[in-house]
Amino acid sequence: MATESQPNHQKKLTIPLKTRIALTVISTFTDNAQRPDGSINRRFLRLFDFRAPPNPNPVNSVSSSDFVVDPSRDLWFRLYTPHISGDRIPVVIFFHGGGFAFLSPNTHPYDNVCRRFAGKLPAYVVSVNYRLAPEHRYPAQYDDGFDAVKFLGENRGEVLPANADLSRCFFAGDSAGGNIAHNVAIRVSRARCFAAVKLVGIISIQPFFGGEERTEAERSLVGMPLVSPDRTDWCWRAMLPEGANRDHEAAKPSVVDISGLDYPDTMVVVAGFDPLRDWQISYCEWLQLSGKRATLVEYPNMFHAFYIFPELPEAGQLVQRIKDFVEERVASLSA
């Protein structure tokens, strides 16, 4: 069962005009790219998906460069390097959102977000380009995430600067990326074969989970930006194995027993006007019931993916909360 939250029906979502226009454009193009047969018109999407190239020259003290892991499946990552003094700088491995089917690390909003993380936390940020559904279904996204982590561990001397500390490694992701971060963390915890990579925290920003039942938030938060039951159902049909329903372990983490795993401390970010909020709260509670440390961070007046819009004050507030979480976890390692 998902936790049933009680949205405040007295409140109304207020979004600045600039943000509202951007949300409308994103929703319009992604909806129109979805064909009736369940495929995606990638050519149409490329007309409007403007990409940011890597930039070896520091901008706001952060440079970026791309590294190929496996060209046969277009598995690569973008490394964001903060140009700061000091040693033992944490590494954040980031998985972008997009319903498992859209976007990439070089999409402008995610390039901007990862630059912000690298400069503000500060941290080396590794943003992974994983294969997309429906062309590539479960478990392709998790396979790619795991293999990117493995590649980093095996090639850290060739990829990462000397002061990047993989023993202070965090996974982060929003929406579908939060789901991927969770599932890759389970794989890493089970593998126990990573000598260089020590996962010490997960930053789960409005993770995309679900189930066959409809929650109170899904029923009551109608007309919210980006997320609706119709859209999320489409994404699950595109990503899950043929014949599987939304009670599959990829969608519903509580069907997996992680109580015996060395699963790291997690912060779970939830927004008041996100129809997925009940699933996210349930995820946090399930982690706690499994004996793991998990903290819920709520933004009651925000919507799904609010943090990619830097004009919103809450976006900056969230970066500060993430910075605090990273610093607390790093401090605990030497306590």
Side-chain angles (χ1 to χ4, degrees):
M1 284 287 291
T3 295
E4 296 286 317
S5 66
Q6 299 297 322
N8 186 349
H9 298 289
Q10 305 297 317
K11 285 187 175 182
K12 183 180 178 182
L13 177 59
T14 303
I15 304 175
L17 178 61
K18 176 184 176 181
T19 311
R20 199 159 63 241
I21 292 171
L23 288 165
T24 301
V25 170
I26 294 168
S27 297
T28 299
F29 288 123
T30 54
D31 288 348
N32 287 329
Q34 298 168 16
R35 298 189 179 106
D37 65 359
S39 63
I40 292 177
N41 188 338
R42 298 285 180 197
R43 183 175 298 178
F44 171 77
L45 275 182
R46 281 195 291 270
L47 296 174
F48 309 99
D49 184 9
F50 303 109
R51 304 295 177 94
N55 189 349
N57 301 311
V59 177
N60 295 325
S61 299
V62 175
S63 61
S64 60
S65 52
D66 292 348
F67 293 87
V68 175
V69 177
D70 183 352
S72 70
R73 50 179 155 151
D74 196 28
L75 176 56
W76 56 273
F77 61 80
R78 179 162 292 180
L79 172 66
Y80 297 85
T81 298
H83 290 259
I84 57 171
S85 59
D87 57 4
R88 306 201 69 185
I89 306 300
V91 176
V92 175
I93 301 177
F94 180 82
F95 303 96
H96 68 83
F100 304 104
F102 302 99
L103 308 176
S104 69
N106 56 10
T107 301
H108 269 287
Y110 281 115
D111 186 68
N112 291 336
V113 159
C114 289
R115 283 186 166 278
R116 210 175 309 142
F117 286 166
K120 297 290 187 182
L121 297 183
Y124 288 94
V125 177
V126 174
S127 185
V128 179
N129 187 71
Y130 54 85
R131 286 170 290 176
L132 300 177
E135 296 89 346
H136 305 281
R137 293 178 174 269
Y138 168 93
Q141 296 76 20
Y142 306 159
D143 291 344
D144 289 352
F146 182 86
D147 289 346
V149 176
K150 186 177 179 183
F151 178 90
L152 269 178
E154 294 174 348
N155 299 276
R156 62 189 184 280
E158 293 76 38
V159 174
L160 295 172
N163 66 342
D165 190 352
L166 277 173
S167 72
R168 299 177 174 186
C169 182
F170 294 79
F171 288 177
D174 71 311
S175 196
N179 177 303
I180 295 169
H182 164 74
N183 281 283
V184 174
I186 289 178
R187 289 191 177 195
V188 169
S189 299
R190 285 174 175 163
R192 299 180 180 177
C193 63
F194 289 86
V197 179
K198 172 62 177 174
L199 183 58
V200 299
I202 297 179
I203 301 151
S204 188
I205 305 170
Q206 299 174 279
F208 183 19
F209 295 118
E212 282 297 295
E213 64 179 299
R214 294 294 189 213
T215 66
E216 171 61 24
E218 287 174 315
R219 292 190 299 267
S220 63
L221 292 173
V222 177
M224 294 297 110
L226 301 179
V227 172
S228 69
D230 285 346
R231 286 178 177 145
T232 56
D233 287 357
W234 187 94
C235 291
W236 288 126
R237 286 194 300 271
M239 184 267 193
L240 293 174
E242 295 279 2
N245 66 21
R246 296 189 302 275
D247 286 336
H248 186 276
E249 65 181 57
K252 200 170 188 178
S254 60
V255 303
V256 178
D257 181 8
I258 66 166
S259 58
L261 296 180
D262 184 18
Y263 192 91
D265 290 15
T266 304
M267 66 174 286
V268 181
V269 179
V270 175
F273 289 96
D274 185 352
L276 296 173
R277 60 174 279 108
D278 289 345
W279 293 114
Q280 296 155 1
I281 294 170
S282 290
Y283 169 60
C284 187
E285 293 174 346
W286 166 74
L287 288 174
Q288 294 167 344
L289 289 171
S290 299
K292 313 307 173 187
R293 291 187 59 187
T295 303
L296 194 69
V297 178
E298 297 196 65
Y299 291 87
N301 298 319
M302 287 292 99
F303 53 91
H304 194 78
F306 72 92
Y307 88 110
I308 70 171
F309 300 98
E311 65 270 20
L312 300 175
E314 289 85 353
Q317 294 165 17
L318 176 56
V319 173
Q320 182 60 48
R321 290 296 296 268
I322 293 171
K323 178 182 173 67
D324 293 343
F325 175 74
V326 169
E327 289 179 348
E328 287 165 8
R329 292 298 302 129
V330 167
S332 73
L333 300 176
S334 54

